[in-house]
Amino acid sequence: MKHKMPPLKYQEDALSPKMSAETLQFHHGKHEQTYFNTMNTLIEGTEYENMSLEDIVKKSDGKLFNNAAQSWNHVFFFDQFSANPQPRPSGNIAGAIEDQFGSFEGFKKKFTEAGTTLFGSGWVWLYRDNQGNLKISQESNAGNPLKQGYQPIMTCDVWEHAYYIDYRNKLPDYLEAFWNILDWAVIESRYL
Ligand code: MN
């Protein structure tokens, strides 16, 4: 079974200039596509061949884990943006963020700091642990909370390929723009 990379839910220029069409052409169209292609090649004729993408992430390691998790992470990442973003959380997740981090601003600051201080390539995650608490984590390379048995809620890709076309070396500028294209309606739908 081949896993097909889902198309973006918006036009390539819909997030411009915060995330340009060129970035989406490369990041979604080339980087993410390559992770899918490599994963599909690696699972051929193996015990992973008929597993869901999520199960491959949970059960694999090494090169297959890297490519499967990068595939899964990118789908999750691009899904949370919108041309008509809802920039602030509402409903249950807004309350949970306030309980855990004091305020939305406090959460934003902590999550952004996790992005600027992550050394090397990786991802920043908001996830729910097994006690139901919201937590922020930094993961290197393809790492994600799913692998650890937690529920991913939101993520930021801080690999250089995510921002170098639009922001060059200015990671903080990318992180600032990130908050302005998020659709909290999507993120809230993951927090059930
Ligand atoms: Mn990426």
Side-chain angles (χ1 to χ4, degrees):
M1 178 175 79
K2 291 229 182 286
H3 294 271
K4 210 171 172 318
M5 179 177 79
L8 295 172
K9 298 184 304 185
Y10 37 82
Q11 298 296 312
E12 268 180 347
D13 62 356
L15 310 177
S16 184
K18 296 190 170 65
M19 193 178 281
S20 68
E22 192 185 358
T23 285
L24 287 166
Q25 280 153 17
F26 277 84
H27 195 186
H28 171 71
K30 294 187 189 293
H31 288 282
E32 184 184 353
Q33 185 66 66
T34 302
Y35 295 126
F36 268 88
N37 293 348
T38 307
M39 170 190 55
N40 281 325
T41 305
L42 290 170
I43 61 175
E44 242 179 80
T46 74
E47 59 185 302
Y48 301 101
E49 194 164 26
N50 297 309
M51 279 185 199
S52 67
L53 180 53
E54 201 172 306
D55 279 345
I56 299 173
V57 170
K58 287 177 182 165
K59 292 171 183 170
S60 63
D61 51 27
K63 190 176 180 188
L64 177 56
F65 169 77
N66 287 338
N67 284 278
Q70 282 294 80
S71 300
W72 192 92
N73 294 354
H74 281 91
V75 173
F76 196 78
F77 174 72
F78 286 122
D79 259 7
Q80 68 195 356
F81 302 128
S82 168
N84 300 299
Q86 182 192 308
R88 286 184 77 92
S90 59
N92 287 344
I93 196 166
I97 285 173
E98 273 169 36
D99 289 348
Q100 203 70 39
F101 303 100
S103 64
F104 177 60
E105 280 65 31
F107 161 67
K108 222 168 134 172
K109 192 163 175 276
K110 273 205 168 136
F111 190 95
T112 302
E113 270 170 18
T116 51
T117 59
L118 198 159
F119 187 78
S121 297
W123 299 78
V124 180
W125 294 90
L126 175 68
Y127 68 93
R128 179 155 53 185
D129 72 10
N130 295 334
Q131 281 72 49
N133 297 315
L134 286 177
K135 296 263 175 70
I136 293 169
S137 68
Q138 294 172 312
E139 291 280 348
S140 290
N141 302 316
N144 67 34
L146 194 60
K147 184 71 174 169
Q148 295 156 32
Y150 304 132
Q151 185 192 358
I153 304 289
M154 166 186 156
T155 192
C156 186
D157 184 345
V158 291
W159 284 55
E160 277 184 356
H161 70 217
Y163 61 89
Y164 220 78
I165 290 171
D166 294 332
Y167 299 98
R168 298 298 172 193
N169 59 320
K170 297 187 191 101
L171 173 61
D173 291 3
Y174 160 72
L175 289 166
E176 196 186 316
F178 167 82
W179 294 102
N180 295 305
I181 50 175
L182 281 178
D183 189 350
W184 277 91
V186 174
I187 300 165
E188 193 183 336
S189 74
R190 297 164 173 170
Y191 184 79
L192 294 173

